[in-house]
Amino acid sequence: MGRFTLPRDLYHGKGSLAELKNLKGKRAILVLGGGSMKRFGFVDKAVGYLEEAGMEVRLFENVEPDPSVETVMKGAAAMREFQPDWIVSMGGGSPIDAAKAMWVFYEYPDTTFEEIIRPFSFPTLRTKAKFCAIPSTSGTATEVTAFSVITDYAQGIKYPLADFNITPDVAIVDPELAETMPPKLTAHTGMDAMTHAIEAYVSTLHCNYTDPLALHAIKLIHENLKKSYDGDMAARDTMHDAQCLAGMAFSNALLGIVHSMAHKTGAAYTGGHIIHGAANAMYLPKVIKYNSSVPEAAERYAQIARFIGLKGETTAELVDALIAELRHMNNELNIPLAIKNYGEGGVIADKSIIDEKEFLDKLEQVAKLAISDACTGSNPRQPSVEEMKKLLLAVYYDKEIDF
Ligand code: FE
């Protein structure tokens, strides 16, 4: 049996933020990030619409990037005090992810992270509130997914929460919010979305319901990401839809080892974080090469290549054409091809902020952690520790490796 779960309602297009005034309820808590939404006037607009809906509104602001357990608990306490029947979260992936976790601890104050860490083990939500998500970046698609990532800084652990209970009830995909993104964020989040769609398309859990969403997302991202990066706002608007389609696919088909590697290398080194989207963009071509030794996976990469108009006679030629095209996209977006050229902020640099010796010292440990990541299970090829080490070396040095 398969399951395919999405929000009950999705409003999209410019001005769709106004749909907030049609929510039915008494009290709404608005969970927000650092302040860009406030600066651009979207918080005032959202509060105005919710008040038009006849709701009392309270703000929970300043959710940090990579939100912490403490922030989640503070938010849940604020909710228990205010008793909202709508949780509305607006911003990048972080405030929306945090709000999803707050929702769980609002409805179930006695539960713990340890109890909900096992995938698809959540208690039944919506006994107190419904959830509306409004993304301002075009990448994570958390507005339609069953996922949330919360960090326990004291223990140095990331909790990747996964359960269809936290798939939002309503998603508002208003491209006006995404028009505020700076170019670098546009590039990184866009390649994150591309990785979501490609990993979902070749996932062992892909199905007839996820395939068309993934393929169309790949096509739209291929056609629009560079234009969006260059400031074309029509392309930016299309990217906002495309990343959401990719999210619908991967929330149901899950991901693969590009994400496993990005998760475990992200905060592993003292030189600085490897930004999620940049990590995916760097690792994706190498993982495609690795996975394509599995004939069914190779055939699916070839289907993607054909679908976006790349040329090749054989499956192998089409897979290589896809790899070359993704590397070309990285170049155009000023994203490095390998960690050895990973500069501050995820742009191409001569000298990497990730020290070579530290990378090699931690190779074995990071390889094992990547294999144990929740995204590895649905990858079309299951890597051994030796293979994962080879992959990690390949993404550090941009080496061609024969698997
Ligand atoms: Fe991602």
Side-chain angles (χ1 to χ4, degrees):
M1 188 202 73
R3 178 173 176 182
F4 184 82
T5 298
L6 292 177
R8 169 74 174 75
D9 287 306
L10 190 148
Y11 300 100
H12 56 94
K14 277 193 183 181
S16 52
L17 183 63
E19 275 303 319
L20 285 176
K21 61 184 167 201
N22 296 321
L23 295 184
K24 303 268 182 287
K26 291 193 178 71
R27 282 178 298 279
I29 191 162
L30 188 54
V31 180
L32 302 161
S36 70
M37 287 295 97
K38 203 168 206 171
R39 272 199 313 284
F40 290 110
F42 291 110
V43 173
D44 285 345
K45 274 192 186 172
V47 170
Y49 292 138
L50 290 166
E51 285 175 349
E52 254 185 84
M55 285 197 258
E56 189 187 337
V57 184
R58 191 171 288 183
L59 304 187
F60 186 89
E61 297 178 89
N62 298 316
V63 173
E64 70 278 24
D66 297 318
S68 65
V69 169
E70 288 75 23
T71 297
V72 169
M73 293 311 177
K74 255 173 46 192
M79 288 175 188
R80 283 197 293 277
E81 205 248 317
F82 182 54
Q83 293 287 313
D85 41 24
W86 275 99
I87 297 165
V88 180
S89 184
M90 179 163 71
S94 296
I96 300 176
D97 275 13
K100 285 174 169 178
M102 290 170 192
W103 188 16
V104 180
F105 294 101
Y106 166 42
E107 299 208 5
Y108 294 91
D110 296 329
T111 194
T112 62
F113 270 98
E114 285 68 31
E115 279 172 334
I116 59 170
I117 189 72
R118 199 162 52 80
F120 303 97
S121 66
F122 281 35
T124 303
L125 293 179
R126 298 168 174 78
T127 61
K128 291 183 177 166
K130 287 189 190 169
F131 195 102
C132 171
I134 311 165
S136 66
T137 60
S138 303
T140 70
T142 184
E143 71 276 9
V144 291
T145 74
F147 309 121
S148 157
V149 182
I150 304 300
T151 305
D152 184 334
Y153 288 92
Q155 297 195 58
I157 302 173
K158 279 203 177 205
Y159 293 112
L161 307 177
D163 195 290
F164 288 121
N165 269 289
I166 54 170
T167 300
D169 297 281
V170 177
I172 297 180
V173 186
D174 186 334
E176 277 180 3
L177 279 70
E179 290 185 2
T180 64
M181 283 193 298
K184 211 163 63 180
L185 185 63
T186 303
H188 292 154
T189 52
M191 286 308 285
D192 184 27
M194 180 62 113
T195 308
H196 293 155
I198 293 181
E199 293 214 284
Y201 193 70
V202 301
S203 158
T204 56
L205 295 173
H206 80 85
C207 69
N208 288 332
Y209 297 85
T210 58
D211 283 349
L213 293 164
L215 266 188
H216 193 56
I218 292 164
K219 188 164 197 251
L220 292 179
I221 296 165
H222 180 240
E223 287 168 358
N224 289 282
L225 179 52
K226 174 62 165 58
K227 291 184 199 160
S228 168
Y229 175 72
D230 290 338
D232 174 338
M233 287 304 157
R236 181 75 56 88
D237 296 357
T238 305
M239 276 300 301
H240 212 38
D241 286 338
Q243 63 86 32
C244 186
L245 298 179
M248 293 178 186
F250 91 82
S251 186
N252 292 283
L254 307 186
L255 294 165
I257 59 171
V258 179
H259 270 78
S260 305
M261 293 162 68
H263 290 155
K264 301 311 190 220
T265 53
Y269 310 107
T270 49
H273 276 223
I274 305 179
I275 295 167
H276 179 69
N280 284 330
M282 291 191 290
Y283 308 165
L284 180 60
K286 298 290 183 236
V287 169
I288 291 177
K289 187 80 188 163
Y290 170 75
N291 283 344
S292 65
S293 70
V294 176
E296 303 88 86
E299 186 42 51
R300 293 185 72 77
Y301 290 127
Q303 286 167 12
I304 292 171
R306 262 186 233 111
F307 193 73
I308 62 173
L310 304 179
K311 298 279 176 273
E313 295 292 318
T314 63
T315 298
E317 282 174 16
L318 285 159
V319 173
D320 284 344
L322 178 61
I323 291 170
E325 184 63 15
L326 291 165
R327 288 171 64 91
H328 170 67
M329 287 182 77
N330 281 4
N331 276 328
E332 284 190 328
L333 298 166
N334 195 22
I335 297 174
L337 293 169
I339 302 174
K340 74 169 191 262
N341 297 119
Y342 184 89
E344 192 69 51
V347 299
I348 299 172
D350 288 334
K351 192 171 166 18
S352 178
I353 61 163
I354 308 299
D355 178 64
E356 183 181 359
K357 185 176 178 305
E358 187 186 8
F359 187 85
L360 295 173
D361 286 346
K362 292 181 173 167
L363 185 63
E364 175 100 13
Q365 179 200 351
V366 171
K368 285 180 178 160
L369 287 170
I371 289 172
S372 69
D373 188 87
C375 292
T376 302
S378 47
N379 194 69
R381 183 175 171 188
Q382 289 302 303
S384 65
V385 177
E386 281 316 302
E387 286 172 346
M388 183 53 84
K389 280 161 70 177
K390 266 195 185 180
L391 267 170
L392 287 164
L393 289 171
V395 300
Y396 193 92
Y397 298 107
D398 191 20
K399 275 197 297 205
E400 276 305 321
I401 292 189
D402 243 339
F403 287 101

